[in-house]
C-alpha cells in the first residue's frame, strides 16, 4: 500500500469554524490531490498540487484553500465550514512518468458540519 | 472534455454468477481508463488500468476489462462472483493533462446474493 495517511480520520465541527485536514505521504510523489465523495457524485476534485507551493483549483474549489510547503504534506482548509461541506474527504498521490498515471488514495476523513 | 458514465448505480448478482459493470467514456484525446474499488469505510484501490497497450486488461482479484473504441466502452467483468467482491466500483478517465487528473464516474454498488 502507498504510504498515505490522513488526519484526523473523523471530525465534527460547527458551522462557521475553520477546519484543516492533513494529508501526509512517504512516497515522495510529485502530485497530490484532494477530493470529496458524496452519494451519487462519485469523487470530485477540490484542489491539486504539482509541486511544493504549486497548486491549482479543481471542479469544486469554492470554500476551500490548500497549501503545500513540503513535498510530503498537503493541507486542505475550510475557512468557515458550512453544512454543505459535510462529506468524506480523500487525499491521493500520483507520480507521472511521461503520461497519465494512476492515483493512490488515503483512507479518508469523515467531516460532519453541524 | 473527458467524462465517464456508469450504467446502473446498483448491481446485484448471485455468488458464482458473472459480474458485469458497465462504463462508457467520452474523451477528446486517446483515453487512459481506470477501474477502482472501494470497500466500506476505506479509500479507493486500483483494480486495473488501460493505457493504450492491450485492449483486454487483467486486474487484481480476477477482474478484467475490455477497451472497445468503437463503442467507447470499458466494461468490467469477473466470471464468478465471490461474496468478498461486494463493494463500490468506480470507472475513471484521465483528463489528458500532465497533472494526471482523473475524472470519476458516479460509482456502481455491487451486491452479492448468497
Amino acid at each position: 500500500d502507498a504510504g498515505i495517511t490522513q488526519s484526523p480520520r473523523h471530525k465534527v465541527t460547527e458551522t462557521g469554524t475553520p477546519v484543516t485536514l492533513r494529508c501526509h505521504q512517504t512516497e515522495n510523489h510529485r502530485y497530490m490531490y484532494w477530493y470529496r465523495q458524496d452519494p451519487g457524485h462519485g469523487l470530485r476534485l477540490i484542489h491539486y498540487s504539482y509541486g511544493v507551493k504549486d497548486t491549482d483549483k479543481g471542479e469544486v474549489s469554492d470554500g476551500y484553500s490548500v497549501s503545500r510547503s513540503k513535498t510530503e504534506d498537503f493541507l486542505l482548509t475550510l475557512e468557515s465550514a458550512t453544512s454543505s461541506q459535510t462529506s468524506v474527504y480523500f487525499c491521493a498521490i500520483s507520480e507521472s512518468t511521461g503520461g497519465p498515471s494512476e492515483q493512490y488514495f488515503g483512507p479518508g476523513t469523515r467531516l460532519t458540519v453541524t | 472534455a473527458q467524462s465517464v458514465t456508469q450504467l446502473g448505480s446498483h448491481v446485484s448478482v448471485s455468488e458464482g454468477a458473472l459480474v458485469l459493470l458497465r462504463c462508457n467514456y467520452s474523451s477528446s484525446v486517446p483515453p487512459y481508463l481506470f477501474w477502482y474499488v472501494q470497500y466500506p469505510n476505506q479509500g479507493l484501490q486500483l483494480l486495473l488500468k488501460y493505457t493504450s497497450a492491450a485492449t483486454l486488461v487483467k486486474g487484481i482479484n480476477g477482474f478484467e476489462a475490455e477497451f472497445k473504441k468503437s463503442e467507447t466502452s470499458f466494461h468490467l467483468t469477473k466470471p464468478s462472483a465471490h461474496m468478498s467482491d461486494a463493494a463500490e466500483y468506480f470507472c475513471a478517465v484521465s483528463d489528458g493533462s500532465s497533472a494526471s487528473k482523473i475524472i470519476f464516474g458516479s460509482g456502481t454498488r455491487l451486491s452479492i446474493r448468497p
Side-chain angles (χ1 to χ4, degrees):
Chain A
D1 290 346
I4 311 169
T5 56
Q6 293 184 232
S7 58
R9 293 294 312 279
H10 301 270
K11 186 168 182 68
V12 179
T13 191
E14 294 184 348
T15 298
T17 60
V19 177
T20 295
L21 309 182
R22 180 181 184 240
C23 177
H24 178 79
Q25 61 149 327
T26 58
E27 306 296 322
N28 200 36
H29 281 5
R30 177 182 178 187
Y31 299 100
M32 299 185 75
Y33 313 82
W34 276 108
Y35 292 90
R36 60 178 291 172
Q37 183 179 26
D38 304 289
H41 290 278
L43 277 79
R44 292 180 291 176
L45 182 65
I46 304 171
H47 282 279
Y48 68 100
S49 169
Y50 46 97
V52 173
K53 300 191 187 306
D54 293 324
T55 65
D56 205 349
K57 296 179 180 180
E59 176 187 359
V60 290
S61 59
D62 287 349
Y64 302 94
S65 63
V66 291
S67 66
R68 191 172 179 196
S69 58
K70 298 184 291 185
T71 298
E72 58 266 35
D73 289 326
F74 193 32
L75 304 181
L76 177 71
T77 298
L78 290 66
E79 300 291 349
S80 178
T82 67
S83 59
S84 64
Q85 294 175 312
T86 291
S87 187
V88 181
Y89 291 85
F90 287 98
C91 174
I93 64 174
S94 178
E95 186 62 43
S96 177
T97 54
S101 297
E102 64 268 31
Q103 295 179 12
Y104 299 95
F105 285 80
T109 294
R110 184 173 297 275
L111 176 68
T112 302
V113 183
T114 60
Chain B
Q2 280 73 267
S3 66
V4 290
T5 301
Q6 292 185 241
L7 302 176
S9 60
H10 183 209
V11 171
S12 179
V13 303
S14 297
E15 189 174 20
L18 171 71
V19 174
L20 171 60
L21 304 183
R22 299 177 188 273
C23 172
N24 288 92
Y25 70 91
S26 172
S27 179
S28 56
V29 298
Y32 281 42
L33 295 159
F34 310 88
W35 275 100
Y36 283 85
V37 60
Q38 184 181 33
Y39 298 103
N41 300 311
Q42 294 186 25
L44 278 70
Q45 179 183 358
L46 181 69
L47 267 181
L48 51 81
K49 64 178 180 179
Y50 168 76
T51 57
S52 75
T55 56
L56 183 62
V57 182
K58 295 187 183 299
I60 61 172
N61 302 337
F63 284 92
E64 63 182 35
E66 186 172 9
F67 172 73
K68 292 187 176 180
K69 184 177 179 180
S70 61
E71 299 177 8
T72 61
S73 68
F74 191 57
H75 302 330
L76 182 70
T77 60
K78 181 174 181 178
S80 177
H82 191 274
M83 296 299 293
S84 62
D85 295 326
E88 186 143 24
Y89 292 79
F90 294 93
C91 182
V93 62
S94 170
D95 77 339
S97 71
S98 60
S100 292
K101 289 186 289 180
I102 292 177
I103 298 165
F104 287 87
S106 56
T108 297
R109 183 164 61 91
L110 176 64
S111 299
I112 311 297
R113 301 188 300 271

